Amino acid sequence: MATYYVRKSGSDSNAGTSAGAAWLTLGKALGASGIASGDTVYVGAGTYREVVTVAMTSATAETQVIGDVSGQFTGDAGEVVWTARVTDDETAPVSANTLDLAGRDYLTFENFIIFSGTTRCVNATTTNSTNCTFRRCIFRSSAITSLLVAYTGTAGQAANWTFDRCYFISHSGTCASITLPTSASADYNVGISITNCVFMIVGTGGNWSIIVGVTGANSFKGGGISVYNCAFFGFNGISANVATSLPFSVYNSYWYSSGTALSGASSGMIVEDYNVFMATTPRTNVSIGSNSSTTKAATWSEGRECLWGLRPVRPWGMPTESSTMLGFGAQSGGPVTDISGGPRASGGASTSYAVGPYERPNAGTKETSVTHAGAASLKLTGPGYHDFQVPVDASITTITVYARYDTNHAATNKPQISVLGGGEIGVSDATATMTAAVDTWEALQLTFTPTAKGVVTIRCISRSAAGNGIAYFDS
């Protein structure tokens, strides 16, 4: 297993084995003379104007293509954009798939913004590709009717695809199209998981955020697709024609839709629960989840602070402080982190997850009655965390925070502090956990030595066993 690098300052005649000898193009990295099974390639910031058909020998173990947005590995920090507008953003995109997997397996793509041509961002329809993952990616249409992601399987074979913490933004085209051939022998589990994703689709008619269709005239179908903690905006949501023995499962998600949220080709093909629907037609051929709601308000932040001349402190889509979506997603089996990578549950004074991709971190409040030394402490009710950005020099640094918890919090998982997000300045993630008894202040310390000046995140974490348990942090 080797590590390779792609940078805008590179050359495809280089070896690609260091940041100083990086390749120039993604096509080189994914071509016949690029990476191999089990390798990792880091891609530096910039805009890569190319369409790529993967030509490497198909991998048999996870092979990673990672956008180095922090610059930790390549030295180039910023967005990593991959676009089928191969000339410039003033010229129409080419009529080609931005990424054609061409039957290659075990590929993981992270931290990319992928713009489609007039066809697709990602194509996997000509030859089946299995065990593929897209994590923290954004798929955007460059043409009005372009499809974002298209997958066609093989009868009886699992796909084992994962979409985790992704945005799908389409203009009048379906976001994700999945075609499952029928089988002559038995229903089969395709194994596609979609978690913490946001789907936005503009347009009407037959366009869907996710559509699952069948091909072939055999009696048995594929199924086993799951959606957890996602958000759907626009016209239609999910349409599925799958095996009733392996239904499409939809949990802990919400819709803000002028069309149909969930539509099964027949009854029993979609199961749902703990969802919030604000849709013209919540369900067609779908039984009502006993805990789902069509009356709860789907309330989230939309950058409202800008209206009053303030800096937005919450990303678009995060539940508001009083949102009924907080603590409502009680269906088990979903992702244990949210779209930002923070732990679930968080900020809802509940041990149940929020509905949708976001929890609500940084929900600590001022506490003046229970303090360590000063006039006030930070109070977190229920499980959650609060982050502080701390500038540091390139010298030994010690962070000390006093922590405490009450009886309702319980000692099962005591409060913690962590240092995060300092990899680009040589600081590894680390955690300190309380050992003291209930209602006792304890000093938690983290010591590290940055290799350069920068900023680290200090996270204060409540791991309360109950929604009303309290953790305090001070000094």
Side-chain angles (χ1 to χ4, degrees):
M1 295 182 290
T3 301
Y4 293 94
Y5 303 83
V6 172
R7 301 177 69 184
K8 294 302 295 179
S9 58
S11 169
D12 284 349
S13 63
N14 288 340
T17 51
S18 69
W23 292 323
L24 174 62
T25 67
L26 294 161
K28 171 64 176 179
L30 293 167
S33 60
I35 61 176
S37 178
D39 289 347
T40 297
V41 57
Y42 291 105
V43 182
T47 299
Y48 295 83
R49 299 186 182 277
E50 52 183 305
V51 295
V52 176
T53 297
V54 181
M56 63 178 288
T57 300
S58 190
T60 57
E62 185 180 24
T63 303
Q64 301 181 80
V65 185
I66 301 175
D68 184 27
V69 293
S70 71
Q72 179 180 352
F73 300 98
T74 62
D76 300 333
E79 294 180 345
V80 183
V81 178
W82 186 353
T83 177
R85 289 184 178 268
V86 298
T87 303
D88 53 43
D89 286 339
E90 301 289 337
T91 305
V94 297
S95 180
N97 301 304
T98 310
L99 168 62
D100 195 318
L101 293 176
R104 272 55 177 188
D105 306 324
Y106 288 97
L107 289 171
T108 293
F109 296 87
E110 296 186 13
N111 304 338
F112 285 93
I113 303 172
I114 305 177
F115 285 88
S116 71
T118 57
T119 49
R120 297 151 184 165
C121 293
V122 178
N123 182 62
T125 62
T126 53
T127 307
N128 191 24
S129 295
T130 66
N131 298 282
C132 293
T133 296
F134 294 87
R135 185 177 295 116
R136 295 186 297 271
C137 290
I138 298 173
F139 306 98
R140 292 279 303 271
S141 57
S142 283
I144 290 178
T145 58
S146 59
L147 172 63
L148 300 185
V149 177
Y151 168 86
T152 298
T154 298
Q157 183 175 354
N160 295 327
W161 275 43
T162 297
F163 294 93
D164 178 33
R165 288 170 278 174
C166 294
Y167 273 81
F168 298 77
I169 305 171
S170 176
H171 190 296
S172 300
T174 291
C175 292
S177 174
I178 301 168
T179 303
L180 303 179
T182 56
S183 169
S185 57
D187 293 341
Y188 62 99
N189 190 340
V190 69
I192 295 177
S193 172
I194 303 169
T195 59
N196 286 332
C197 291
V198 177
F199 293 83
M200 300 181 184
I201 183 169
V202 178
T204 58
N207 298 312
W208 295 82
S209 292
I210 304 171
I211 185 167
V212 184
V214 299
T215 184
N218 292 314
S219 300
F220 299 98
K221 296 180 178 180
I225 303 169
S226 64
V227 164
Y228 275 90
N229 293 96
C230 291
F232 297 85
F233 299 91
F235 193 66
N236 292 318
I238 298 172
S239 172
N241 187 349
V242 297
T244 55
S245 64
L246 296 163
F248 195 128
S249 304
V250 188
Y251 300 117
N252 300 351
S253 299
Y254 69 88
W255 284 259
Y256 196 76
S257 168
S258 61
T260 300
L262 297 176
S263 178
S266 64
S267 179
M269 290 186 175
I270 298 178
V271 295
E272 65 91 6
D273 208 1
Y274 291 102
N275 298 305
V276 174
F277 297 94
M278 187 175 288
T280 303
T281 305
R283 309 168 188 86
T284 300
N285 287 331
V286 178
S287 297
I288 298 173
S290 59
N291 299 287
S292 291
S293 174
T294 58
T295 59
K296 285 182 180 290
T299 52
W300 60 83
S301 298
E302 60 290 280
R304 61 189 64 180
E305 296 90 351
C306 292
L307 298 176
W308 307 305
L310 303 175
R311 182 174 66 88
V313 295
R314 301 283 178 183
W316 191 91
M318 181 173 285
T320 57
E321 182 177 7
S322 59
S323 176
T324 57
M325 299 191 299
L326 287 168
F328 182 65
Q331 178 68 37
S332 62
V336 297
T337 59
D338 74 351
I339 194 170
S340 65
R344 293 184 180 272
S346 182
S350 171
T351 56
S352 294
Y353 298 171
V355 167
Y358 279 104
E359 293 288 328
R360 185 179 172 85
N362 300 318
T365 59
K366 180 179 179 180
E367 170 62 42
T368 58
S369 298
V370 181
T371 63
H372 174 252
S377 65
L378 176 75
K379 173 182 175 182
L380 288 171
T381 302
Y385 63 95
H386 203 104
D387 288 342
F388 297 90
Q389 307 302 309
V390 179
V392 293
D393 290 323
S395 59
I396 188 168
T397 302
T398 297
I399 300 292
T400 302
V401 178
Y402 281 82
R404 173 176 174 153
Y405 61 95
D406 72 356
T407 301
N408 292 326
H409 181 288
T412 306
N413 295 302
K414 297 180 182 181
Q416 297 175 328
I417 64 166
S418 293
V419 58
L420 305 168
E424 67 274 19
I425 58 170
V427 178
S428 299
D429 292 355
T431 298
T433 305
M434 282 191 68
T435 60
V438 64
D439 292 329
T440 304
W441 286 104
E442 178 182 357
L444 300 180
Q445 286 190 341
L446 294 168
T447 299
F448 48 87
T449 303
T451 56
K453 289 183 178 181
V455 175
V456 296
T457 297
I458 301 300
R459 175 168 291 178
C460 299
I461 308 168
S462 168
R463 301 191 295 160
S464 178
N468 63 345
I470 298 174
Y472 305 92
F473 299 90
D474 200 354
S475 300

